[in-house]
Amino acid sequence: MSIEEIALEAEERMEKSVALLVDQFRGVRTGRANVGLVESVRVDYYGSSTPLKQLANLSTPEPQQILIRPFDPSVVGAIVKAIQTSDLGLTPNSDGKAVRLNIPSLSVEQRKKLVGRVKDLAEEARVSIRNIRRDANKQADQEQTDKILTEDAAASCKEGIQGLTKKFEGKVNDLADKKSAEILES
């Protein structure tokens, strides 16, 4: 593998780590309604566990409410049950055709817990990025051992990978700070 290939592979993997973090942050509750809270709730639909976003239109008609309109009205009961058994802590209201979730405002204690969760998720992403750096550095060392890269080229490759690591850790930190600020605003 060339220096460019090693760096490109590392960068792609780091981008996936950041994308996963963004996706995980969508499921972290803030003071406002957000369809990301319920998109991944699994509903028992004709014997198979299906994500809610595949069964219904999700919207936020009001800042503190999520509206779930299933494509098949017969699944409303299963959606209500899935939300009740999830760890969201929300109580669904159903009229037989749609499900409404009222999002209560968060207490200071709940906000602190959620900020802690954001920090934990961000740290997991940083660890993942560092593991990718380690793998890429091992690859560069292996290429040097196999006489494919010179010592200088391997060192240059490691410097590039370290630059990528700093860049993506910065992105993770920015995302975590933004999400924490969003949770803490009233």
Side-chain angles (χ1 to χ4, degrees):
M1 275 185 147
S2 69
I3 295 172
E4 293 81 20
E5 290 172 328
I6 294 170
L8 185 65
E9 182 181 328
E11 186 174 15
E12 286 175 358
R13 290 177 60 201
M14 288 179 186
E15 284 174 356
K16 287 179 184 175
S17 291
V18 171
L20 176 64
L21 179 68
V22 168
D23 198 43
Q24 289 174 325
F25 278 176
R26 290 187 71 207
V28 175
R29 200 172 140 195
T30 61
R32 285 180 246 119
N34 176 0
V35 295
L37 289 172
V38 295
E39 279 183 343
S40 59
V41 170
R42 312 285 293 176
V43 179
D44 184 34
Y45 184 62
Y46 292 109
S48 67
S49 180
T50 310
L52 183 56
K53 66 181 176 183
Q54 292 180 6
L55 297 175
N57 280 328
L58 306 173
S59 62
T60 53
E62 297 173 25
Q64 299 293 320
Q65 188 178 77
I66 297 174
L67 178 62
I68 303 167
R69 286 198 188 114
F71 303 125
D72 176 6
S74 68
V75 77
V76 168
I79 291 172
V80 168
K81 184 177 177 185
I83 292 169
Q84 287 172 336
T85 58
S86 72
D87 62 351
L88 293 174
L90 299 173
T91 306
N93 300 320
S94 169
D95 63 5
K97 295 178 183 169
V99 178
R100 294 181 189 278
L101 292 173
N102 291 317
I103 311 295
S105 54
L106 298 167
S107 69
V108 174
E109 186 178 313
Q110 289 172 316
R111 289 177 194 273
K112 287 180 181 175
K113 281 184 184 176
L114 290 171
V115 167
R117 175 82 175 122
V118 165
K119 288 180 181 177
D120 291 344
L121 290 171
E123 184 56 31
E124 286 174 21
R126 283 191 289 272
V127 167
S128 172
I129 288 169
R130 290 179 196 133
N131 287 340
I132 294 165
R133 174 187 60 192
R134 183 199 61 221
D135 293 346
N137 285 342
K138 278 185 182 177
Q139 181 70 34
D141 288 340
Q142 185 61 45
E143 298 295 322
Q144 181 185 346
T145 304
D146 295 344
K147 305 285 188 213
I148 296 171
L149 293 178
T150 64
E151 190 175 327
D152 289 343
S156 164
C157 182
K158 288 180 181 181
E159 285 175 25
I161 291 165
Q162 182 60 33
L164 284 174
T165 303
K166 285 189 185 300
K167 173 184 161 188
F168 282 97
E169 282 185 338
K171 283 184 180 182
V172 167
N173 293 337
D174 291 345
L175 288 168
D177 291 345
K178 184 178 170 190
K179 188 66 174 186
S180 295
E182 192 178 322
I183 291 169
L184 292 173
E185 73 184 33
S186 312

